[in-house]
Amino acid sequence: MTHVMNTYARLPVAFARGEGVWLWDANGKRYLDAVAGIAVCGLGHGHPRFVAALREQVGRLIHTSNLYEITLQEQLAHKLAALSGMENVFFCNSGCEANEAAIKLARLYGHKKNIESPAIVVMEKAFHGRTMATLSATGSRKVQAGFEPLVAGFVRVPFDDLAAVRRVAEANRSVVAVLVELLQGEGGVNVCHDDYLHGLHEICETHGWLLMLDEVQSGMGRTGKWFAFQHSGVMPDVMPLAKGLGNGVPIGACLAAGPAAELFKPGNHGSTFGGNPLACSAALATLAIIEEERLMENAVKIGDFIRAELARRLADAKGVKEIRGAGLMIGIELEYNCSELVKQALEQSLLINVTMDNVIRLLPPLVITREEAELMLATLVPLIAEFLARQNVAHAAAQTA
Ligand code: PLP
């Protein structure tokens, strides 16, 4: 890929076609995909009904412009509002753009309250994207390094720490919102305690802040509910979405409710491609298939099975710190840097991801069956066990040296 900018450390494989959880490379070798395009292809690859819906729409109409009304956009906004309880939707093309819209909403909201420099509380280890504003909101120096000056207006606190948010509330009168992933994805599949969202909601109510939940990775059924916040019943004011929404056709959305729902006026925000007929038909088909094929139930059932089996089969393996997650968003934290496992798994025809250097992340398509999960475990568990055995020996040798 000599004329492509060098922004990714790519693995040496290119896929030619896919079906369900399976991908085939150009040589016809088959791989089990436990990454799903990083939580994107919930329906798996080549879902016949999804493909048929897209083909039909491609022949009918691909793009017009937001200069005109778009019937499919209206339908999709209506459906998303019904599924989430939110009110209004802005459509864009990616997760970072959905977060940009959220950040702009928060700033408008602040200026309406006569706050000159509105600030947003964000979390350590958060990931919100790679545009200038979203990388500034992201809690990773690796993502930010080299791009200073960062966008101002973010106050960072540790994840899952309500006392830290309360301290900011007392000290900083310019705060207007909190932006958080309830289940951090890139940051290591980090889960919060049960009352965290209730606590954040209470702080937001007390101080008149917007509660903004980045569900770009955790949304669209991956955790077993349409949106992760629905496990606890607390409603956000703003919710950015993307990834699984279009099953691989690029689409993002920023949903808003209550005080945030009517903030944008014509001219405040926009996107050339955002919510075009092709992207909206993809999202509508995705939502219908998730619903009718009961894929959220499947995510819970298979996700629970995978986590339980990992815990059982790795019970004697020294060096597993924690197995965590919800539904089909699963993290296995090891005591060692385990990036090399990605390549080793690839050699054994399994696609996995490692984030934060030591967390194996599994994000298989929501259509994965128990038999396919078994196949995944049959490759993954010995890989992890052998890796840990090697690391433990090396570690012990280094201790005695
Ligand atoms: N927000 C979260 C929680 C994400 O996981 C990601 C991507 O991994 C993003 C935002 C950025 O999305 P995109 O890469 O589509 O801009």
Side-chain angles (χ1 to χ4, degrees):
M1 299 186 51
T2 48
H3 291 284
V4 176
M5 279 201 197
N6 191 19
T7 51
Y8 308 99
R10 296 177 197 267
L11 291 158
V13 63
F15 299 107
R17 71 183 179 94
E19 202 180 306
V21 301
W22 302 102
L23 284 168
W24 283 264
D25 69 15
N27 302 319
K29 184 176 169 189
R30 190 177 82 151
Y31 301 77
L32 198 160
D33 181 6
V35 176
I38 320 188
V40 168
C41 308
L43 309 180
H45 304 285
H47 190 291
R49 210 177 126 193
F50 181 70
V51 172
L54 277 190
R55 283 210 171 106
E56 215 267 329
Q57 188 60 42
V58 166
R60 186 193 298 269
L61 188 64
I62 294 175
H63 180 82
T64 51
S65 160
N66 286 306
L67 292 170
Y68 315 107
E69 293 188 357
I70 299 175
T71 310
L72 287 166
Q73 199 181 106
E74 181 59 32
Q75 282 173 18
L76 178 58
H78 188 266
K79 182 74 187 171
L80 286 172
L83 296 177
S84 64
M86 305 293 279
E87 290 168 49
N88 292 334
V89 188
F90 173 80
F91 288 104
C92 50
N93 316 286
S94 63
C96 60
E97 285 174 87
N99 278 313
E100 285 279 345
I103 292 164
K104 285 179 74 171
L105 281 175
R107 287 192 168 188
L108 272 184
Y109 175 72
H111 286 298
K112 258 186 99 173
K113 297 207 297 184
N114 292 321
I115 294 174
E116 209 172 293
S117 299
I120 301 171
V121 176
V122 290
M123 304 299 152
E124 285 172 11
K125 295 191 184 168
F127 186 83
H128 299 297
R130 291 177 181 275
T131 59
M132 279 312 305
T134 58
L135 77 81
S136 303
T138 288
S140 155
R141 276 305 296 154
K142 237 181 177 172
V143 170
Q144 295 170 342
F147 301 108
E148 298 83 0
L150 301 181
V151 172
F154 298 104
V155 183
R156 196 168 308 284
V157 297
F159 178 60
D160 200 25
D161 183 345
L162 289 172
V165 182
R166 286 197 189 98
R167 280 196 295 276
V168 171
E170 272 153 34
N172 188 336
R173 298 286 156 202
S174 294
V175 173
V176 293
V178 55
L179 175 63
V180 58
E181 299 155 85
L182 278 185
L183 182 52
Q184 288 186 327
E186 304 303 304
V189 193
N190 302 316
V191 293
C192 56
H193 69 277
D194 283 349
D195 293 333
Y196 185 55
L197 186 54
H198 282 275
L200 284 180
H201 184 250
E202 195 186 299
I203 297 169
C204 288
E205 289 274 288
T206 307
H207 297 277
W209 296 356
L210 297 178
L211 178 57
M212 310 205 295
L213 301 182
D214 179 347
E215 295 247 16
V216 166
Q217 189 160 148
S218 57
M220 311 326 302
R222 182 146 291 277
T223 69
K225 301 265 187 197
W226 283 112
F227 311 106
F229 81 80
Q230 291 173 328
H231 291 284
S232 68
V234 171
M235 285 286 300
D237 300 301
V238 177
M239 178 171 65
L241 299 175
K243 287 196 181 276
L245 180 56
N247 199 50
V249 175
I251 179 167
C254 182
L255 280 61
E262 310 278 350
L263 285 169
F264 281 149
K265 302 284 182 255
N268 280 152
H269 202 38
S271 163
T272 294
F273 295 126
N276 81 10
L278 179 64
C280 289
S281 74
L284 281 164
T286 303
L287 296 175
I289 296 168
I290 291 175
E291 209 158 39
E292 286 161 34
E293 295 190 1
R294 300 178 161 274
L295 296 184
M296 287 181 282
E297 283 97 319
N298 195 58
V300 172
K301 192 175 79 186
I302 306 294
D304 286 352
F305 169 71
I306 293 171
R307 279 194 307 281
E309 284 301 300
L310 284 169
R312 190 176 69 79
R313 298 185 201 186
L314 290 169
D316 296 330
K318 198 172 145 281
V320 178
K321 260 190 159 166
E322 196 180 20
I323 296 163
R324 54 182 181 249
L328 288 170
M329 192 165 164
I330 298 169
I332 309 154
E333 182 173 353
L334 304 185
E335 278 169 19
Y336 306 102
N337 180 323
C338 59
S339 311
E340 68 186 66
L341 281 177
V342 173
K343 213 161 181 182
Q344 290 167 15
L346 181 74
E347 280 157 15
Q348 297 194 30
S349 308
L350 173 65
L351 307 185
I352 58 167
N353 175 254
V354 167
T355 186
M356 299 299 283
D357 295 335
N358 69 331
V359 182
I360 301 164
R361 184 169 48 157
L362 305 174
L363 302 159
L366 308 184
V367 294
I368 188 170
T369 63
R370 176 147 169 168
E371 291 68 38
E372 290 161 345
E374 280 282 5
L375 287 171
M376 181 189 78
L377 290 164
T379 303
L380 182 62
V381 170
L383 256 181
I384 297 174
E386 284 156 27
F387 168 79
L388 286 174
R390 282 195 307 275
Q391 295 298 316
N392 288 333
V393 169
H395 184 70
Q399 297 288 79
T400 51

